[in-house]
Amino acid sequence: MGKVKKTWLLSLFAALLFVMAGCMAGSSDEEASGEGESEGDTAASGDELEEKVVVYSPHGNDILSEFEQQFEAEYGIEMEFLDMGSQEILDRVRSEANNTQADVWWGAPQVNFDQAKEEDLLAEYKPSYADTLDELYHDEDWYWSGTSITPEVILYNNKELSEDEVPKDWDELVDPKWEDELIIRYPLASGTMRTIYSAMIYRTYKDTESPEEGYDWLEKLDANTKEYSANPEMMYNQVAKGVGSLSVWNMPDTVMLAEEKGYPFDYVIPESGTPVLTEGIAIVKDAPHPKAAEAFYEFVNTKEAAKLLAEKYYRIPTREDVEDLPEWITETEIKPMEIDWGTFQEKSPEWMEYWDNNIKNTEKDKSEEE
């Protein structure tokens, strides 16, 4: 009888082991299939991540600190960030190529990322949300993808000009009736203004391979310009006070200044199309913490993150599936200007140097003030 009891117990133990193994296999299959995972968890599970992620970004302390808190709470690992300009990041990543320090580069116009790709400084990574991005808003080989877009607009003082009066397209800005009505941020010191001025040249350069028509256009714009402001704040103040009623600037800043600071600003999206800069994100080649880098890449462009950036920080998301966005985004039709950004990047320094030396009226230049 004792022998039978012992055999029965061994059989029961074996059966329990079989059931347990089946449960574990089922759990592994579920994990392998990705069931139950939320967006942003696809890069790596918590126990696979490295102890930290290092992020280089120009997004400023407010955004970076907020995402640092959220990411660390979500993943339980440390986020370190360095806040510096886009060109500074490119220079630093280039200088660290043989001893990579950064994992993620978050924030820069696509031209900076394209240059970094050409120099073999980035790693290929196709995010889980790839299908939500228009082909305009990611690298064809997925060395970077867009997180937000920045359209350029005609900014105007809505106490000085009505919606019907304001120019509706770029060429209307050079009508002599707007003489002394334009306050322009000094272009050589501004990425936004370099983009706008270079785009005005590129409109005809793409067909003629000559910048001359573009230079002529900028001469007419110079004739209507009252002053070139040394910094954005000077330009904002001059337009707000009615010293000049018009400027050209980017759409998100214009909305932010009106909503948060009460400036009498509104804008027009030029009818013929406007240059649209794509802000992106990329993983640095040979990143010290590659799994944490992928997790961060996913985390900062979930639908929830894109909505937060739109509502709180005036960023227009590249994702097409973000719902309930602010009206200033959903009710504005943006027509991107067709631009070969490689040519644009190559020629822009030459074009801007010519403008500075041969077109700009130095008497209107306030770039040395303040």
Side-chain angles (χ1 to χ4, degrees):
M1 189 72 176
K3 186 174 181 180
V4 172
K5 185 175 182 180
K6 183 176 181 181
T7 302
W8 180 82
L9 287 170
L10 287 171
S11 299
L12 178 61
F13 182 69
L16 286 170
L17 285 176
F18 180 80
V19 171
M20 290 174 66
C23 291
M24 292 173 68
S27 175
S28 298
D29 290 343
E30 183 177 342
E31 290 175 5
S33 68
E35 293 180 10
E37 288 183 348
S38 62
E39 183 186 8
D41 293 337
T42 56
S45 60
D47 58 357
E48 294 175 332
L49 300 181
E50 298 87 1
E51 73 282 1
K52 69 177 179 180
V53 62
V54 179
V55 179
Y56 290 174
S57 176
H59 282 330
N61 189 68
D62 289 346
I63 291 177
L64 293 172
S65 295
E66 180 153 359
F67 276 85
E68 176 188 30
Q69 285 184 324
Q70 292 189 15
F71 182 74
E72 290 181 349
E74 177 77 17
Y75 286 94
I77 64 174
E78 182 183 2
M79 173 195 165
E80 295 181 3
F81 66 81
L82 282 178
D83 178 16
M84 51 188 160
S86 300
Q87 186 62 44
E88 290 178 285
I89 295 174
L90 176 57
D91 293 340
R92 183 158 182 152
V93 170
R94 184 186 290 130
S95 69
E96 294 173 348
N98 295 323
N99 183 26
T100 306
Q101 301 297 307
D103 299 302
V104 178
W105 177 359
W106 180 29
Q110 72 267 34
V111 291
N112 290 114
F113 286 116
D114 285 340
Q115 187 172 352
K117 175 188 174 182
E118 289 176 8
E119 297 180 26
D120 196 26
L121 299 174
L122 304 179
E124 182 181 347
Y125 180 69
K126 187 174 182 178
S128 64
Y129 52 82
D131 290 344
T132 73
L133 300 178
D134 186 280
E135 63 181 9
L136 287 172
Y137 304 138
H138 66 81
D139 174 60
E140 61 182 357
D141 301 311
W142 294 102
Y143 281 91
W144 60 266
S145 67
T147 54
S148 64
I149 59 173
T150 305
E152 315 302 351
V153 298
I154 298 170
L155 178 156
Y156 67 96
N157 181 323
N158 58 22
K159 289 185 177 179
E160 300 289 329
L161 296 174
S162 69
E163 186 177 352
D164 292 335
E165 292 175 309
V166 70
K168 301 301 189 294
D169 212 342
W170 300 111
D171 288 341
E172 292 182 38
L173 289 171
V174 299
D175 188 315
K177 75 177 182 180
W178 299 116
E179 184 178 358
D180 285 342
E181 288 297 328
L182 281 137
I183 307 293
I184 300 292
R185 165 74 167 109
Y186 180 60
L188 264 63
S190 167
T192 293
M193 292 308 309
R194 281 174 171 266
T195 298
I196 293 172
Y197 272 36
S198 296
M200 295 302 99
I201 297 173
Y202 181 79
R203 291 188 303 168
T204 52
Y205 179 88
K206 69 180 188 297
D207 296 321
T208 65
E209 295 190 2
S210 168
E212 292 304 321
E213 287 185 58
Y215 291 158
D216 290 344
W217 191 93
L218 289 177
E219 283 186 8
K220 295 174 183 176
L221 190 72
D222 179 81
N224 284 351
T225 300
K226 190 163 189 175
E227 69 175 53
Y228 297 102
S229 302
N231 55 57
E233 288 71 26
M234 288 178 65
M235 183 267 282
Y236 304 153
N237 289 332
Q238 293 292 73
V239 177
K241 290 187 296 185
V243 175
S245 60
L246 291 167
S247 188
V248 288
W249 199 239
N250 70 70
M251 177 180 164
D253 279 0
T254 303
V255 175
M256 181 272 291
L257 290 162
E259 291 191 355
E260 292 196 355
K261 298 191 175 182
Y263 283 95
F265 290 170
D266 209 335
Y267 63 89
V268 171
I269 299 282
E271 293 173 348
S272 62
T274 190
V276 177
L277 289 174
T278 302
E279 286 275 334
I281 188 170
I283 294 176
V284 180
K285 184 180 179 181
D286 299 326
H289 313 103
K291 290 296 183 183
E294 291 177 4
F296 185 84
Y297 193 118
E298 296 279 344
F299 182 77
V300 298
N301 211 24
T302 61
K303 286 190 284 187
E304 295 77 15
K307 188 174 180 183
L308 170 66
L309 286 164
E311 292 176 341
K312 190 172 180 180
Y313 297 105
Y314 298 88
R315 305 297 171 105
I316 305 173
T318 51
R319 293 186 61 144
E320 298 176 341
D321 59 347
V322 184
E323 299 177 347
D324 300 321
L325 290 169
E327 289 185 359
W328 67 271
I329 296 175
T330 59
E331 295 185 358
T332 301
E333 183 178 350
I334 299 167
K335 183 180 179 181
M337 185 181 290
E338 292 186 11
I339 292 174
D340 178 343
W341 290 102
T343 300
F344 201 87
Q345 179 183 352
E346 177 189 351
K347 294 294 183 180
S348 183
E350 171 191 329
W351 294 342
M352 294 310 302
E353 183 179 2
Y354 183 91
W355 173 85
D356 196 46
N357 292 330
N358 300 282
I359 297 175
K360 178 190 67 177
N361 184 333
T362 56
E363 293 181 3
K364 301 175 181 180
D365 186 3
K366 309 298 180 183
S367 61
E368 301 301 324
E369 296 181 7
E370 188 173 306

